[in-house]
Structure formats: structure tokens, C-alpha cells
Amino acid sequence: MDKIVVHGGARLEGELRVNGAKNAALLIQCAALLTSGKTTLRHVPQLSDVRTMSRLLERLGCAVEGDRTLAIDAAGVGDGPCEAPYDLVKTMRASVTVMGPLLARYGRTKVSLPGGCAIGARPIDQHLKGLEALGANIELSHGYVNLEAERLHGAAFVFDTVTVGGTQNVMMAATLAKGTTRLENVAREPEVQELATVLNKMGAQIRGAGTSVIEIEGVDELVGVDHAILPDRIEAGTIAVGAAITGGEVLLLDAPVDHMHSLIGKLEDAGVQCVVEPEGLRVYGPDQIEPVDVVTRPHPGFPTDMQAQFMVLASVAKGRSMVTETIFENRFMHVPELQRMGADMHISGNTVVIRGVDRLSGATVMATDLRASASLVLAGLVAEGETEIRRVYHLDRGYESIEERLRGLGANIERVSGARM
Ligand code: EPZ
């Protein structure tokens, strides 16, 4: 199993081009199932999650070719069982978002229930309620959901809770339903907007993505498209925190600034200078980080996927900060690991109170989930001595060759492959 070893102290300096967004790529891969044609995706990030989704599409009968540019041909899907098996769904929950497209296009699908997750229970009740409102017959058995519908019909549906995946699943299903669908209390994340943009390029009729109400006029058919994936606001944000805490200066080329306002606002509150330039976002790390309070919210609020990284920023700030997590009930697994590195932080309910320390100290730590592992890499960049991060397969799910990209900015970091743990 690989591990990553970081020696702290180097300032991050230079330019980095932000990669395509994981959470957009995965959903657009699913959207390819809505067409019988070929869909070509560009700027695809080289991530294990994207490869898992490609494997699932192949299991469903798609032909998938390429890597940075991915060609997906869904012509062969209908002949197969339209089933998303447990062995794939358990490795990546986003697999459940094949449900809407398969049901809408083929009138039937069988998808494994995802089970629990490190950061929370993460049920899919809203996905199922939304698809039921569009006329799906749903039956749960033996750990699977079986969905059937001769043809879905338009409907009005209000989500009980704002869910990114639920919005995307039901929105995709509604594109081929008979009639008009009105979805309320939907997620407004940029990845929802990006999916709607691609679906409309495929011939769908979606209005309102990015607001809390989305309307979809069902059509009979969608066609394949060629689309370049938008840059990843979370990868950009993670590197921005790295520049901030190391007192560095980094230009994030293609950073999707319009999708990062809450993040940039909090960086500036912490004394970090962020300058929007024609090519992207330039981040200057200050001599002293100011304490900052953060509460995670659905977009356009502060993203939960940046919570762990911001805890590292607060852990070396001059003063007390509070970080409150409102989206997932168990997203503090990085706290005990950061405490091992000398961070002064304490969990109290869904809030962590953090008193900044002068310097963290390097230690051997364990990655527990994707963003938690990113926070451990960031902490290693500013810690005294060596930090060894284990279970980095979590990191590879959402960051492409992060050690090489950070080394390109001057970090002293390496991956040790196949290390005996
Ligand atoms: C997406 O997950 C992202 N994943 C997550 O990013 C991100 O943290 C999350 O949205 C929130 O922004 C992808 O896009 C692949 P949700 P998703 O449904 O869709 C509850 C990362 O690090 N809920 O918006 O699974 C749920 O339990 C990942 O890249 C229900 O109760 O998140 C949670 O508390 C991690 N019932 C809340 O809603 C449902 O049917 C938000 O979950 C669905 C969700």
C-alpha cells in the first residue's frame, strides 16, 4: 500500500493548472447512459473514482475508451441487466446516480444500496422518493433497489433535504419523462449546473439549474455530445490553502473563481490575499494567518468538501476559530490525526474549536476519507520534520498525482509505493 512522506517548511510557489472536476466528471459519465450515441469528455481528471465509474459503465454494456479524453458509447446498454452491482457501488456511492438514467432510458434498473460511509449514514431516500414521484415502481430486496417504469411522467416534487446526488439523479430521469417536472429545494452546486448544461447540449430542456427550483420539459431522445469538464473548485481550494499556510504565492490557472466566492471570502477573512487574474486566481500566503469561523452549507454556502482543509489553516492561525459541519454527521475523522500532529482542537457536537499553535509537528497519520487525507498532506507541508500519511488510496480518489503537483510548487513530498505497513 502506498504512503506519502512530507517534510515541512517549504513555501508553495509557482503556477498550477486546475484539473477537471471529479464531481462533475462522474455525473456526466452517468449522463452518457441517457443517449444511444457517443459522448466524449475532455479534461477528465485521472482519478480512481473516474476509473471505477468507467468500469461500471462497461459492466452496463458501454464501450469506454481513453483517459484524459474519454469516449463513452452507450449503444450496447439495453441488452444487459441494467444492474449496478454491490462490488462497485460499495467502493463508490456516486454509482447510485446511474439509477435515474437507466430507469428513464430502459424502464428498469437494479442498483445495490450503497451502505454506510466514513463521513455519515448518507441514505438515498430522497433519490427514491423523487423517482417514485415520476412514476417509478420501487422494491427493495437483498440489498438492492429494483426500479421499473414503462415511461416516467413529469411531476412536481419537493426535496425534504438539499441533496446534490438526489437532484442530479431525478433531474437526469426527468429529461426523458413524458411532460413537465418541477423540482423544488434542489441543490445549487456548480456540478449540478454543469450537468444541466451537458444535458441541454444533449437535447434536454432544463431551466433553473443553479437556483432552488429546476423545471424539466421531457423529450423523447437525447444525443451524444463532446464536452470539456469544468475545473475543480475543491482541488483549487485545497492548493489555495497550501499556498496560504506556507506563506507562498501560487497562480491557480483556470480556477473556477465564480464557484469559489464563499471559499475566497473565508480565505480573505483569514488574511490571505486572493487576486483574480485573467488566467485564474493568484493566492498570496500572509506572514500571519487570522482566526476564522466557518459553517458548512449547501452551495453557495461554504463547501463541506473544504472543511478539513480549513481546519489546518485554523490550526496555525493566531487565535481561536470554530468550524461547524452541518452537511455530514461524521466528518471529523481528521481531528484525532491532526491532534497527533500537535493541533489544539476539540470536538463539541458538530463544531470543532481550534486554538492556533505556532507549529505542528510531523507524525505518522492515517487517512480516513478523501478530504481528510488532503488535510493531512496540508498539515505535513507546515509541520516540523517528517509526516507519513498512510492509506493514501483515499487521496487518489479525488486528487490526481497530488505529490507531483505539490512538488512542482516546491514542496518536499514523495510517494512511497507498496510500502509494508
Ligand atoms: C456530493 O455527495 C459530493 N459527491 C460530495 O463530495 C459532497 O460532499 C456532497 O455532495 C455535498 O456537497 C459527489 O458529487 C460525487 P448529498 P452526495 O446527497 O450527493 C443527506 C467529495 O469529497 N441525504 O448532497 O452524496 C446526506 O446524508 C464528496 O468529493 C439524505 O438524507 O451528497 C447528507 O447528510 C464527499 N437523503 C446530505 O443529505 C438522500 O437521499 C447531503 O448529501 C440524499 C442525501
Side-chain angles (χ1 to χ4, degrees), residues 6 42 163 347:
V6 195
R42 299 181 192 283
T163 156
I347 301 176

Side-chain angles (χ1 to χ4, degrees), residues 84-100:
Y86 177 65
D87 65 316
L88 285 176
V89 176
K90 75 174 170 26
T91 59
M92 183 184 65
R93 323 176 51 75
S95 311
V96 300
T97 34
V98 299
M99 217 185 262

